[in-house]
Amino acid sequence: MSDPLIPEHDPVERDPTEVRRGWVNKRRENVVAEIQRNRRGEYRVPTWVLALTLVLLVGGWTLLIVLS
């Protein structure tokens, strides 16, 4: 017996092109939202850029100390 308060899940098979279209639309919305944030001045530097900068600074200091 099913509970009348809990709807039964009716699995709907989705076409792969439909799934891809949904993914593309979601990705497009994310890109548009990011562009709008950047235009409002809410730009953030990606973590990988900060990590690369730190590695270059530490590596430069290390080379300066070793080679001097």
Side-chain angles (χ1 to χ4, degrees):
M1 225 178 212
S2 64
D3 190 353
L5 298 178
I6 301 174
E8 292 185 19
H9 181 3
D10 186 18
V12 177
E13 290 194 29
R14 293 174 59 190
D15 185 22
T17 56
E18 189 179 325
V19 172
R20 174 111 176 123
R21 191 175 302 125
W23 179 84
V24 169
N25 287 339
K26 184 175 180 181
R27 178 71 181 142
R28 183 177 295 127
E29 289 171 4
N30 287 340
V31 169
V32 168
E34 181 177 356
I35 291 171
Q36 290 172 346
R37 281 193 306 271
N38 291 343
R39 287 182 179 167
R40 287 190 307 261
E42 298 175 18
Y43 178 75
R44 296 181 302 170
V45 179
T47 305
W48 67 268
V49 172
L50 296 174
L52 180 63
T53 304
L54 179 62
V55 167
L56 290 175
L57 285 172
V58 171
W61 275 107
T62 304
L63 281 175
L64 185 66
I65 292 171
V66 169
L67 296 178
S68 61

